[in-house]
Amino acid sequence: MMTKMHVKLNVNGRAVEGLEEPRTLLIHFLRENLRITGPHIGCETSHCGACTVDMNGRSVKSCTVFVAQADGAEITTVEGLVNEDGSLGVIQEMFREHHGLQCGFCTPGMITRAHRLLQENPTPTEEEVRFGMAGNLCRCTGYQNIVKAILASAEILNAPPSSSEAVGHEKVEAAE
């Protein structure tokens, strides 16, 4: 039996800790210890991307990261991308609206990677989206709707506030 280590992480904005063997994979720690089941176990070789999470501002395949390597890290899973009120975030909503999923197995990893891609490149071209998502595989959709969903997300995330929002904001200030 291997000696266990105390690990501390911040997962989806919440401080968590546990006692775990250093060789435990991050995907297993998330799913088995924390019951965070958005990231899926697919190939366990980093080829499919179903286990993609955001770690310290980078997309990583959690099936190839030891929990010891993640000690002290900021981790975001698809569960952490919802709005504060629990409703779907922009990228999640666009995947739904543009049918960027079929069976849904790859979807959490796709959405998490799309989130980081849009942080890295807020206004990607279709070619840049396809290249940026190349590490995440989907066996069902053919990718076209995934690309559409990501481009629609970029458009929404980069849109200036609507004039009604600006007017409403001015009214609040005037009332004060």
Side-chain angles (χ1 to χ4, degrees):
M1 184 170 156
M2 192 173 256
T3 304
K4 292 189 176 191
M5 68 177 284
H6 187 246
V7 292
K8 292 182 179 183
L9 301 95
N10 187 312
V11 180
N12 298 329
R14 194 179 104 227
V16 297
E17 53 187 279
L19 196 59
E20 200 60 55
E21 289 185 8
R23 66 181 177 166
T24 299
L25 295 172
L26 178 58
I27 185 70
H28 294 295
F29 182 76
L30 293 171
R31 291 181 62 83
E32 296 164 16
N33 292 31
L34 303 181
R35 302 289 185 235
I36 294 174
T37 58
H40 292 149
I41 299 169
C43 65
E44 293 190 281
T45 61
S46 81
H47 287 71
C48 76
C51 67
T52 301
V53 300
D54 203 74
M55 183 168 109
N56 294 332
R58 291 182 47 224
S59 291
V60 299
K61 310 280 180 72
S62 61
C63 74
T64 60
V65 175
F66 293 117
V67 74
Q69 294 171 293
D71 189 30
E74 294 277 336
I75 307 289
T76 303
T77 69
V78 70
E79 291 92 343
L81 298 177
V82 298
N83 294 320
E84 286 185 25
D85 66 1
S87 63
L88 296 177
V90 170
I91 299 169
Q92 294 164 321
E93 183 61 35
M94 289 302 98
F95 264 69
R96 187 194 65 75
E97 187 175 308
H98 291 273
H99 309 289
L101 59 117
Q102 194 163 338
C103 81
F105 190 81
C106 70
T107 306
M110 288 281 185
I111 290 172
T112 305
R113 173 60 195 138
H115 166 77
R116 180 51 45 201
L117 172 65
L118 293 177
Q119 298 293 309
E120 296 165 351
N121 182 356
T123 56
T125 64
E126 180 177 332
E127 184 178 329
E128 290 168 330
V129 169
R130 289 182 182 279
F131 182 80
M133 297 299 293
N136 291 71
L137 302 179
C138 176
R139 289 175 167 77
C140 301
T141 67
Y143 300 100
Q144 189 58 35
N145 290 340
I146 291 169
V147 173
K148 284 180 186 177
I150 295 168
L151 291 172
S153 298
E155 195 173 309
I156 291 169
L157 292 168
N158 291 305
S162 70
S163 58
S164 64
E165 288 175 12
V167 170
H169 182 66
E170 290 169 13
K171 288 180 182 177
V172 170
E173 289 177 0
E176 294 176 351

